[in-house]
């Protein structure tokens, strides 16, 4: 099947859509679990005031908590994926709202748990573990709670905060509805002179067009549309930032950044080292931009020229099925255990492949502890989309192995390590393609793609991270967040990161409004750190094999059974040092130099 035109979902065959029915075969089945969950959440309140009265009470409370969250996770994950199939559907919006409300209710009903655990001292906890051997399963979970002792509030205050959860989520929800469902972009002419409506899904493919006028028109049309709503987007982002700062202040953190990173026990120096390392290597980015300008034979390199492949006359038109086969062959160094998992994924309808009207933009991996991992794509037949398959399958295999080898309490993994598995797959895929290409232009094209991965995943995401830090700090100083401030700050960062050989068009100042990750509370820096760790892992896997592959698989199987920094360190990558980022920059320099020599 070739998906060229944007279709209604009902017109796409089921084989190209994910199988959510394996979670809930009907809304009635979902409602049955909903009722069960409501009942369980009420029953959980019976533990209030009694959690640490005895070792038996503590164990029973933790078991009941697992049962409750395992169920509400199924309910919530299903509704968010169902909504993402077509965000226009009122029935899906209603179900999603119901699922979110229930999750917030469960948070409120269980909010007394952590404050009560915090009344335990270490000696008492050790005594309880001696009395109840099953409590040893929860040791890391309990240690992590005690680590956060000074940032946990009273049971009453935690209850109030939990009840505020849905309100705090409002800016992100409003943004999503505006950005994905309500915002309409103009119709322009594509390179064949045909009318094409700009969408979130086809914007980057349009920016990759060889026809510069198509790129320019798409770029200006999209950001002009955002500009028409700039004050609304600024207001939603302002609301999101204020909720981050409110939470940090209430929990006695010195900043919202510290509050966010503390959740995974990530030192602030990891964030600072990343930005410093990238600033120290911007000259390599400037050289790459100079090469791009020369290779495209342009008097001026504009922001709408950054996605078009530099190498002319090389087309990778890759149907989805062919893309899958490429990914499977590339990942063969990861051994049979890994390959068995990805084959299950490709053959068992884990993936929602093509764009349809109303579908959430972008790509992600999702799922609950009890479900299959699921992947949302908006597949277009480009090389970049093949890498998206590998990327999201990396996430899904991380989930697959974590759930298979860890109990529920540790069956998920932290955000900090989440992007490592996905990007390792991309690095291995690129190495495979570079090793199997003989044509000089195709090699140049692939090198260009690898360099673009560095530009977009390391440099650009670090720029996003710096923007996120600056706007939070601006608000924390008592300054106002306005659309003009956001545009000015964002444009200045583009000037810094892209250098003197790029014309920083006025339209790019609105790009912040297009980035949903600014609602994720210091998420984006982890793309850059994750890419750096992935470079280290992929080089070890490809150059050493054997034990390096085993170490990597052990990382995938670790879930959240230890702090993310420790999980990576055990597998051979220490993110508390500058070494992984600096190694990635050395590779980037080698690639730039090779590209410059061949172009």
């Amino acid at each position: 099947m070739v998906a060229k035109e944007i279709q209604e979902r009902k017109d796409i065959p089921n084989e190209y859509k994910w199988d959510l029915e394996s979670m809930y075969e009907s809304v009635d089945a979902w409602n049955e679990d909903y009722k069960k969950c409501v009942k369980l959440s009420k029953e959980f309140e019976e533990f209030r005031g009694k959690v640490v009265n005895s070792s038996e009470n503590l164990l029973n409370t933790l078991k009941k908590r697992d049962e409750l969250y395992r169920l509400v996770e199924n309910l919530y994950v299903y509704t968010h994926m169902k909504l993402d199939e077509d965000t226009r559907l009122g029935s899906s919006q209603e179900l999603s709202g119901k699922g979110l409300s229930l999750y917030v209710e469960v948070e409120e009903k269980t909010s007394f748990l952590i404050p009560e655990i915090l009344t335990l001292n270490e000696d008492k906890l050790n005594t309880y573990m001696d009395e109840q051997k099953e409590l040893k399963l929860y040791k890391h979970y309990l240690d992590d709670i005690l680590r956060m002792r000074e940032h946990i509030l009273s049971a009453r205050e935690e209850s109030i905060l939990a009840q505020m959860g849905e309100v705090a989520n409002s800016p992100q929800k409003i943004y999503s509805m505006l950005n994905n469902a309500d915002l309409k972009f103009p119709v322009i002419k594509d390179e064949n002179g045909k009318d094409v409506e700009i969408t979130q899904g086809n914007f980057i493919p349009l920016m990759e067009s060889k026809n510069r006028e198509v790129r320019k028109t798409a770029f200006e049309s999209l950001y002009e549309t955002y500009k028409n709503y700039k004050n609304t987007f600024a207001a939603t982002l302002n609301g999101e930032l204020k909720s981050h700062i409110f939470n940090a202040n209430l929990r006695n953190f010195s900043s919202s950044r510290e509050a966010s990173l503390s959740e995974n026990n990530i030192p602030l120096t990891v964030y600072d080292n990343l930005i410093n390392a990238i600033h120290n290597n911007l000259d390599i980015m400037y050289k790459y931009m100079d090469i791009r300008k020369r290779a495209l034979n342009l008097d001026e390199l504009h922001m709408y020229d950054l996605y078009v492949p530099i190498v002319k006359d090389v087309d990778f038109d890759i149907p989805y099925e062919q893309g899958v086969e490429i990914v499977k062959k590339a990942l063969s160094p990861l051994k049979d255990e890994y390959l068995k998992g990805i084959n299950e994924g490709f053959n068992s309808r884990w993936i929602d492949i093509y764009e349809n009207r109303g579908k959430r933009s972008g790509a992600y991996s999702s799922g609950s502890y009890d479900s299959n991992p699921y992947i949302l794509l908006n597949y277009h037949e480009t090389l970049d989309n093949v890498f998206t398959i590998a990327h999201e399958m990396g996430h899904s295999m991380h989930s697959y192995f974590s759930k298979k080898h860890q109990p529920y309490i540790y069956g998920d993994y932290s955000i900090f390590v989440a992007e490592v598995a996905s990007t390792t797959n991309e690095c291995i895929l690129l190495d495979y393609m570079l090793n199997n290409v003989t044509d000089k232009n195709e090699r140049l094209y692939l090198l260009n793609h690898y360099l673009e991965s560095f530009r977009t995943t390391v440099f650009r995401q670090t720029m996003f991270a710096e923007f996120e830090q600056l706007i939070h700090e601006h608000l924390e100083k008592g300054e106002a967040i306005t659309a003009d401030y956001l545009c000015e700050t964002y444009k200045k960062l583009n000037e810094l990161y892209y250098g003197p050989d790029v014309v920083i068009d006025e339209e790019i100042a609105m790009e912040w409004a297009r980035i949903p990750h600014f609602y994720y509370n210091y998420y984006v820096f982890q793309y850059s750190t994750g890419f750096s760790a992935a470079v280290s892992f992929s080089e070890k896997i490809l150059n050493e094999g054997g034990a390096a592959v085993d170490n990597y698989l052990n990382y995938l199987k670790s879930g959240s059974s230890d702090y993310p920094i420790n999980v990576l360190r055990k597998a051979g990558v220490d993110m508390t040092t500058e070494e992984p980022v600096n190694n990635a920059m050395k590779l980037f320099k080698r690639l730039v130099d090779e590209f410059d020599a061949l172009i």
Side-chain angles (χ1 to χ4, degrees):
M1 175 181 178
V2 177
K4 292 291 186 186
E5 306 217 351
I6 305 166
Q7 297 176 283
E8 292 294 336
R9 187 167 184 84
K10 62 181 176 61
D11 297 324
I12 297 176
N14 283 341
E15 64 194 275
Y16 299 110
K17 294 185 280 194
W18 55 21
D19 174 27
L20 295 190
E21 287 74 22
S22 65
M23 286 192 77
Y24 289 104
E25 61 184 21
S26 66
V27 174
D28 287 342
W30 185 90
N31 278 321
E32 285 302 309
D33 263 5
Y34 179 90
K35 293 173 186 174
K36 181 180 177 183
C37 190
V38 170
K39 182 173 180 289
L40 281 174
S41 69
K42 289 177 180 176
E43 290 174 356
F44 191 84
E45 286 196 292
E46 294 174 9
F47 291 103
R48 187 185 295 272
K50 306 171 187 174
V51 175
V52 297
N53 284 1
S54 67
S55 58
E56 184 180 12
N57 271 17
L58 178 58
L59 178 61
N60 289 338
T61 306
L62 293 175
K63 283 183 173 180
K64 185 65 74 172
R65 177 211 171 272
D66 287 356
E67 182 184 3
L68 176 57
Y69 271 94
R70 195 163 170 172
L71 184 56
V72 77
E73 182 183 305
N74 288 336
L75 291 162
Y76 175 70
V77 166
Y78 174 83
T79 62
H80 98 70
M81 290 191 295
K82 197 67 182 170
L83 176 61
D84 289 345
E85 292 179 349
D86 189 343
T87 59
R88 303 169 302 173
L89 295 180
S91 57
S92 294
Q93 292 172 15
E94 182 180 353
L95 198 66
S96 177
K98 192 174 177 181
L100 176 60
S101 294
L102 180 62
Y103 203 102
V104 170
E105 181 182 335
V106 168
E107 293 270 276
E108 192 276 324
K109 299 286 190 189
T110 60
S111 61
F112 62 85
L113 175 61
I114 291 176
E116 290 193 33
I117 289 173
L118 286 170
T119 64
L120 276 176
N121 59 43
E122 192 172 338
D123 289 341
K124 190 72 168 177
L125 181 58
N126 289 335
T127 299
Y128 279 3
M129 286 190 175
D130 289 337
E131 292 175 1
Q132 299 287 341
K133 301 303 181 186
E134 287 183 79
L135 272 175
K136 293 189 183 298
L137 170 68
Y138 293 94
K139 185 178 188 317
H140 176 63
Y141 170 76
L142 292 167
D143 285 346
D144 196 36
I145 290 173
L146 297 179
R147 174 182 67 87
M148 296 290 286
R149 190 188 297 273
E150 65 180 293
H151 305 295
I152 303 299
L153 308 177
S154 70
R156 173 63 178 156
E157 289 167 330
E158 290 292 342
S159 174
I160 293 169
L161 270 183
Q163 292 177 62
M164 287 289 293
E166 196 166 0
V167 176
N169 193 61
S170 293
Q172 184 178 351
K173 189 172 183 180
I174 294 166
Y175 171 82
S176 179
M177 285 294 112
L178 176 59
N179 198 42
N180 293 311
D182 294 342
L183 210 61
K184 302 298 179 190
F185 300 104
V187 173
I188 65 170
K189 298 288 185 184
D190 66 12
E191 50 194 65
N192 298 315
K194 294 183 179 179
D195 287 345
V196 57
E197 178 187 350
I198 301 172
T199 67
Q200 301 282 4
N202 69 16
F203 176 64
I204 294 301
L206 286 169
M207 294 297 288
E208 294 170 343
S209 171
K210 294 176 182 177
N211 186 316
R212 197 179 192 207
E213 191 58 34
V214 170
R215 302 197 303 268
K216 183 174 185 290
T217 303
F219 177 83
E220 292 175 347
S221 299
L222 181 122
Y223 288 117
E224 188 62 35
T225 303
Y226 276 105
K227 189 176 180 181
N228 291 336
Y229 299 91
K230 69 176 185 177
N231 294 312
T232 303
F233 281 112
T236 59
L237 184 54
N238 184 46
E240 183 70 23
L241 300 181
K242 283 185 174 178
S243 73
H244 299 167
I245 294 167
F246 172 78
N247 182 69
N249 289 340
L250 212 59
R251 294 192 179 280
N252 304 309
F253 287 101
S254 62
S255 68
S256 53
R257 186 169 67 120
E258 184 190 26
S260 178
L261 269 62
S262 72
E263 290 181 16
N264 292 311
N265 206 19
I266 306 297
L268 288 177
T269 52
V270 173
Y271 202 103
D272 296 332
N273 287 343
L274 169 67
I275 293 176
N276 290 335
I278 297 304
H279 280 195
N280 291 335
N281 286 279
L282 286 174
D283 58 322
I284 314 173
M285 171 59 78
Y286 297 166
K287 179 176 180 179
Y288 175 47
M289 291 297 99
D290 176 62
I291 295 169
R292 173 172 280 277
K293 180 179 175 182
R294 286 188 278 115
L296 292 174
N297 195 27
L298 296 173
D299 293 331
E300 291 184 339
L301 185 68
H302 285 257
M303 298 302 292
Y304 49 80
D305 298 317
L306 297 187
Y307 288 90
V308 61
I310 293 175
V311 184
K312 294 182 173 64
D313 302 320
V314 177
D315 283 312
F316 286 90
D317 293 321
I318 307 173
Y320 172 75
E321 289 80 1
Q322 183 184 345
V324 167
E325 290 306 310
I326 292 171
V327 169
K328 286 161 67 172
K329 288 177 183 176
L331 296 179
S332 60
L334 287 169
K335 295 185 176 180
D336 292 345
E337 188 178 6
Y338 192 93
L339 296 177
K340 181 182 177 183
I342 65 172
N343 277 317
E344 181 181 340
F346 287 127
N347 297 329
S348 303
R349 289 182 58 201
W350 289 5
I351 308 173
D352 206 77
I353 300 166
Y354 295 111
E355 183 178 9
N356 58 254
R357 291 193 178 276
K359 185 176 178 181
R360 182 195 188 277
S361 62
Y364 66 65
S365 172
S366 188
S368 67
Y369 186 82
D370 294 307
S371 78
N372 291 322
Y374 286 101
I375 295 172
L376 180 138
L377 300 176
N378 283 275
Y379 191 83
H380 291 260
E381 297 180 352
T382 66
L383 180 64
D384 189 57
N385 276 246
V386 177
F387 279 87
T388 300
I389 295 174
H391 181 101
E392 299 304 337
M393 186 56 77
H395 283 309
S396 286
M397 292 309 298
H398 196 177
S399 299
Y400 176 85
F401 281 114
S402 292
K403 292 186 289 189
K404 196 171 181 180
H405 293 272
Q406 295 295 332
Y408 175 75
I409 190 70
Y410 305 128
D412 201 358
Y413 43 83
S414 76
I415 291 171
F416 186 77
V417 297
E419 295 303 330
V420 178
S422 54
T423 311
T424 297
N425 274 12
E426 289 195 68
C427 293
I428 293 173
L429 171 58
L430 196 38
D431 183 84
Y432 167 82
M433 297 191 78
L434 283 170
N435 286 333
N436 286 277
V437 70
T438 55
D439 181 81
K440 176 186 172 183
N441 277 353
E442 289 185 357
R443 182 170 186 82
L444 279 167
Y445 191 101
L446 290 166
L447 284 170
N448 179 198
H449 182 88
Y450 210 168
L451 292 170
E452 281 300 285
S453 294
F454 272 93
R455 179 181 75 80
T456 58
T457 309
V458 182
F459 287 90
R460 188 164 179 260
Q461 298 296 337
T462 302
M463 182 182 75
F464 286 174
E466 189 169 356
F467 176 72
E468 196 170 6
Q469 183 178 349
L470 287 171
I471 61 178
H472 277 89
E473 289 176 348
H474 185 77
L475 199 56
E476 284 166 339
K477 292 173 185 174
E479 303 291 339
I481 295 290
T482 65
D484 289 343
Y485 163 77
L486 293 168
C487 290
E488 179 185 357
T489 304
Y490 193 81
K491 189 180 180 191
K492 283 181 179 177
L493 284 173
N494 274 270
E495 291 167 351
L496 171 65
Y497 276 73
Y498 285 105
D501 288 302
V502 181
V503 176
I504 308 301
D505 302 280
E506 285 296 328
E507 288 84 358
I508 202 63
M510 276 305 305
E511 188 181 39
W512 58 266
R514 193 172 71 86
I515 310 301
H517 296 75
F518 292 144
Y519 293 77
Y520 296 178
N521 197 9
Y522 287 100
Y523 184 99
V524 292
F525 86 99
Q526 293 156 128
Y527 285 111
S528 305
T529 55
F531 192 99
S532 300
V535 167
S536 294
F537 274 130
S538 62
E539 289 185 340
K540 289 174 185 289
I541 289 164
L542 294 170
N543 296 330
E544 301 171 20
V549 175
D550 293 338
N551 286 339
Y552 181 71
L553 289 176
N554 286 336
Y555 141 69
L556 295 181
K557 295 172 183 177
S558 295
S560 58
S561 60
D562 200 349
Y563 295 118
I565 288 288
N566 294 340
V567 167
L568 292 176
R569 187 186 287 121
K570 289 173 186 174
V573 177
D574 189 353
M575 292 305 299
T576 63
T577 70
E578 295 184 13
E579 184 180 4
V581 180
N582 286 332
N583 283 345
M585 289 298 96
K586 288 175 185 176
L587 175 59
F588 181 60
K589 186 178 187 305
R590 291 200 303 271
L591 294 169
V592 169
D593 290 343
E594 180 185 355
F595 191 74
D596 196 19
L598 288 174
I599 197 73

